[in-house]
Amino acid sequence: METIRVTLADGKSAEVPKGTTPAEMAGKVAPELAREALIARSDGELIDLNRPLERDTTLQLLTARDEETLPIFRHSAAHLMAAAVMELFPDVQLGVGPPIDSGFFYEFKREEPFTPADLERIEAKMHELSKADLPNVRRLVTKEEALKLYKEAGQPFKVELVEEKANEPQVSLYSTGKFVDFCRGPHVPSTRFIRAFKVMNVAGAYWKGQEGNPQMQRIYAACFPTQEQLDEYLHLLEEAKRRDHRKLGPELNLFTIEDDAGPGLIFWHPKGGLVRKLMEDWLRDELLARGYDLVFTPHVMRLHLWETSGHANFYRENMFTPMEVEDAAYQLKPMNCPGHILIYKSRLRSYRELPMRLAELGTVYRYERSGVLHGLLRVRGFTQDDAHIFCTHDQIEGEVEACIDFALATLKTFGFEKFKIELSARDPAHPENYAGTAEDWERAEGALVSTLDRLKMPFTRMEGEAVFYGPKIDVKLIDAIGRPWQLTTVQFDFNLPGRFGLEYVGEDGARHQPLMVHRALWGSVERFFGILIEHYAGAFPLWLAPVQARVVPVSAKAMDYARQVRDRLRQDGLRADLDERDERLQAKIRDAQLEKIPYMLVVGPKEAQAGLVSVRHRSRGDLGPRPIEQLIGELREEAAARRGSADASGA
């Protein structure tokens, strides 16, 4: 009998018959591992547990505790869904079913739309098939056999996929019950491993994501290795729904999106406008303190600027249609870079002027498809907290380091304690997608890596995620319920200075080309405001709250004193209002709570006589009576310190 040598992860090895499977090896190692193993890694390749081992190999047996198994687990769950749908609706045409961050989806072509009742039936059938312990069986067939199978089954999308992707003499098919999919694998051994899932919703999607292709129905599901993880995710979804800025914004009178004006355009209401002012005031003061100069540039400029910058080629699909003015084409600006470049270029610069840091809260306009618009987070008109730094080669790492320091100060000020950093690099396999030479990119990426290493800041390298003109550092904040949000970006640019012929006179008297750094801290005012709403569930810390304190008289007899209290707070710069309605006290307090006002100051005849206010906090409840001057001091101190972090309740 021919044997092979299998070396396990712990270094132990054994001679076993050729054709032994990883599942059989798991049984030899430990009964518990045999029950829990999902897939195997053989010489670095992920394979099914029932795949015969044909040569000497190193073997690692992976369970749900191993990170690599999660997408495979979810892809297997997508096969389970397709098997269920095929049993319930045998005439559907099958699309694709990839894993996603929280689970998976599968696409189907069906004349009738799937209803909520259909989704319930699909989930029930999935549980039934899970309990049936159906094996996921792999078999190899020729490309011709696969095409014949799917043509006879009336599955045109699978035929298309086989024709496009089957490059080997043999292709792999996986069977789950009656369902057969063209799939590279691997998969978990059987359906019994897939128990914790929830069919969520159905959405329309074009086949392969391309407009003009057939319309598919994409069924989404959440899926996790354990029920506890699924329950935690579903709870997070409910919490996210409660915090949704699209709901809270109009409820708290912060902003709206008006149909009459068009989608993706934001109307800031007085309370939202006040919060925006507070945000921008902090930022402008900080910019000046950190050596930036504030500038303003036009909203519309000649199109040739965007042709020179390269945006007209690389970014045209996200730009609005140009407009003709006096026989020249003008463009609503999609970003502020060319405007800042023109300010730099308005005269010849000296090395003594560098670094030059130009900052602008500049409104830009981008054409986003209506299907991707999302409240404040994805809009068509927004204000970037944009800055461009022009500097020498010797200054670049110091400027990048200062940008990261600025980013961390911003996070802390606005109540975020956790973050992660990503370095977006180019994809060397597709140089046509990027401006500049390979040497430019290596030098730029090296400068960013060197800066992060010097700051001892761990980062994840994201291959192929760079913008076309240079690599970048992204800082993602983690909000109160653990969600990551893209925030700061620091982007190296060796492209635009050359395209626009930027120069400075060096210490040697010769002319040199400066380097350029694009820097945004919030990304945009709108997007960051949406993140703040959801982080705090609308309950802003005192320094950002549009109304910091509401005076609540217990009856009309205390109204004069209530007005005095309100006016006294306003004199000291506190944002206070007064509830003058003829309502019961409890109704007034309830409404102030719903408006998420930090402090409610209850006053009646007793408080008026003693010169006190009874203080109630929106989350800490009754804080007892205070002299007015003491309360003013406490509120001013809290606001000046910019204290406040989001709690789980968002009260």
Side-chain angles (χ1 to χ4, degrees), residues 170-382:
Q170 289 187 310
V171 299
S172 60
L173 301 178
Y174 278 84
S175 298
T176 306
K178 301 174 184 177
F179 167 68
V180 181
D181 207 355
F182 165 57
C183 183
R184 203 176 303 162
H187 286 280
V188 301
S190 78
T191 58
R192 72 176 174 86
F193 290 92
I194 306 166
R195 302 188 187 96
F197 53 82
K198 175 70 177 173
V199 176
M200 304 296 293
N201 62 287
V202 62
Y206 290 108
W207 172 237
K208 296 181 178 178
Q210 297 177 3
E211 291 185 32
N213 280 353
Q215 184 81 26
M216 311 293 284
Q217 295 187 67
R218 181 179 290 179
I219 301 179
Y220 286 90
C223 181
F224 291 85
T226 68
Q227 187 63 41
E228 291 77 14
Q229 290 171 312
L230 176 62
D231 291 342
E232 181 181 351
Y233 171 74
L234 295 176
H235 172 73
L236 176 64
L237 277 188
E238 287 302 313
E239 183 63 22
K241 188 183 299 183
R242 187 177 71 84
R243 293 169 177 264
D244 192 334
H245 74 281
R246 295 170 298 175
K247 171 177 174 287
L248 289 175
E251 284 181 0
L252 298 176
N253 199 21
L254 299 171
F255 74 91
T256 54
I257 298 171
E258 301 294 338
D259 289 340
D260 283 349
L265 303 171
I266 307 304
F267 288 78
W268 294 75
H269 291 211
K271 287 185 177 180
L274 180 53
V275 179
R276 175 170 177 163
K277 175 191 180 299
L278 296 166
M279 293 165 58
E280 293 183 356
D281 285 352
W282 176 86
L283 181 60
R284 288 192 174 95
D285 289 345
E286 196 71 16
L287 285 165
L288 294 173
R290 290 175 180 263
Y292 286 80
D293 293 310
L294 302 180
V295 298
F296 299 88
T297 59
H299 291 217
V300 61
M301 292 178 270
R302 283 183 171 149
L303 177 62
H304 78 81
L305 286 172
W306 314 104
E307 294 170 341
T308 301
S309 70
H311 290 102
N313 293 327
F314 289 98
Y315 205 73
R316 182 174 292 277
E317 65 179 18
N318 291 105
M319 295 167 62
F320 280 98
T321 303
M323 62 188 81
E324 292 292 326
V325 180
E326 297 178 348
D327 297 326
Y330 281 75
Q331 177 68 52
L332 278 171
K333 64 176 178 178
M335 54 264 301
N336 299 301
C337 334
H340 294 186
I341 286 171
L342 291 183
I343 291 174
Y344 177 92
K345 201 178 176 182
S346 61
R347 62 179 175 81
L348 182 61
R349 304 291 174 176
S350 164
Y351 72 94
R352 294 186 179 89
E353 298 177 75
L354 305 183
M356 177 180 287
R357 308 180 187 98
L358 302 181
E360 177 180 12
L361 286 164
T363 301
V364 299
Y365 305 89
R366 298 181 185 175
Y367 174 58
E368 300 282 5
R369 303 299 191 272
S370 58
V372 301
L373 296 174
H374 186 84
L376 293 169
L377 305 183
R378 197 77 177 263
V379 295
R380 288 176 173 167
F382 56 94

Side-chain angles (χ1 to χ4, degrees), residues 8-304:
L8 298 174
D10 61 4
K12 295 179 181 178
S13 63
E15 293 280 344
V16 300
K18 182 179 179 181
T20 298
T21 66
E24 290 168 337
M25 290 300 302
K28 295 176 185 294
V29 174
E32 182 180 356
L33 182 59
R35 290 192 299 271
E36 295 183 357
L38 295 177
I39 56 171
R41 182 188 287 112
S42 173
D43 289 340
E45 179 188 3
L46 295 176
I47 63 172
D48 298 309
L49 286 179
N50 59 5
R51 175 92 70 90
L53 301 172
E54 301 294 341
R55 63 181 185 276
D56 293 352
T57 185
T58 58
L59 187 70
Q60 184 180 2
L61 298 163
L62 303 176
T63 71
R65 292 184 292 274
D66 295 290
E67 187 176 341
E68 303 98 311
T69 65
L70 187 55
I72 292 165
F73 179 86
R74 287 171 169 162
H75 185 46
S76 299
H79 279 221
L80 173 62
M81 171 184 279
V85 171
M86 287 295 290
E87 289 208 12
L88 293 170
F89 309 98
D91 294 333
V92 298
Q93 294 176 356
L94 299 163
V96 294
I100 56 177
D101 284 346
S102 58
F104 62 90
F105 66 76
Y106 210 105
E107 291 180 349
F108 305 94
K109 179 78 163 59
R110 180 172 179 248
E111 293 304 319
E112 301 82 11
F114 288 108
T115 66
D118 291 334
L119 300 187
E120 290 180 9
R121 291 177 63 202
I122 291 168
E123 183 175 314
K125 177 60 72 172
M126 289 174 68
H127 281 292
E128 179 185 321
L129 298 181
S130 171
K131 292 175 182 175
D133 195 15
L134 301 176
N136 288 313
V137 180
R138 178 178 183 262
R139 62 188 171 105
L140 296 175
V141 300
T142 66
K143 180 176 181 178
E144 290 71 24
E145 288 175 313
L147 289 171
K148 180 181 178 184
L149 171 71
Y150 284 123
K151 286 176 180 176
E152 291 178 350
Q155 296 293 341
F157 302 110
K158 291 298 181 184
V159 170
E160 184 177 333
L161 291 174
V162 173
E163 288 176 336
E164 289 179 358
K165 299 181 180 297
N167 299 318
E168 301 295 327
Q170 289 187 310
V171 299
S172 60
L173 301 178
Y174 278 84
S175 298
T176 306
K178 301 174 184 177
F179 167 68
V180 181
D181 207 355
F182 165 57
C183 183
R184 203 176 303 162
H187 286 280
V188 301
S190 78
T191 58
R192 72 176 174 86
F193 290 92
I194 306 166
R195 302 188 187 96
F197 53 82
K198 175 70 177 173
V199 176
M200 304 296 293
N201 62 287
V202 62
Y206 290 108
W207 172 237
K208 296 181 178 178
Q210 297 177 3
E211 291 185 32
N213 280 353
Q215 184 81 26
M216 311 293 284
Q217 295 187 67
R218 181 179 290 179
I219 301 179
Y220 286 90
C223 181
F224 291 85
T226 68
Q227 187 63 41
E228 291 77 14
Q229 290 171 312
L230 176 62
D231 291 342
E232 181 181 351
Y233 171 74
L234 295 176
H235 172 73
L236 176 64
L237 277 188
E238 287 302 313
E239 183 63 22
K241 188 183 299 183
R242 187 177 71 84
R243 293 169 177 264
D244 192 334
H245 74 281
R246 295 170 298 175
K247 171 177 174 287
L248 289 175
E251 284 181 0
L252 298 176
N253 199 21
L254 299 171
F255 74 91
T256 54
I257 298 171
E258 301 294 338
D259 289 340
D260 283 349
L265 303 171
I266 307 304
F267 288 78
W268 294 75
H269 291 211
K271 287 185 177 180
L274 180 53
V275 179
R276 175 170 177 163
K277 175 191 180 299
L278 296 166
M279 293 165 58
E280 293 183 356
D281 285 352
W282 176 86
L283 181 60
R284 288 192 174 95
D285 289 345
E286 196 71 16
L287 285 165
L288 294 173
R290 290 175 180 263
Y292 286 80
D293 293 310
L294 302 180
V295 298
F296 299 88
T297 59
H299 291 217
V300 61
M301 292 178 270
R302 283 183 171 149
L303 177 62
H304 78 81

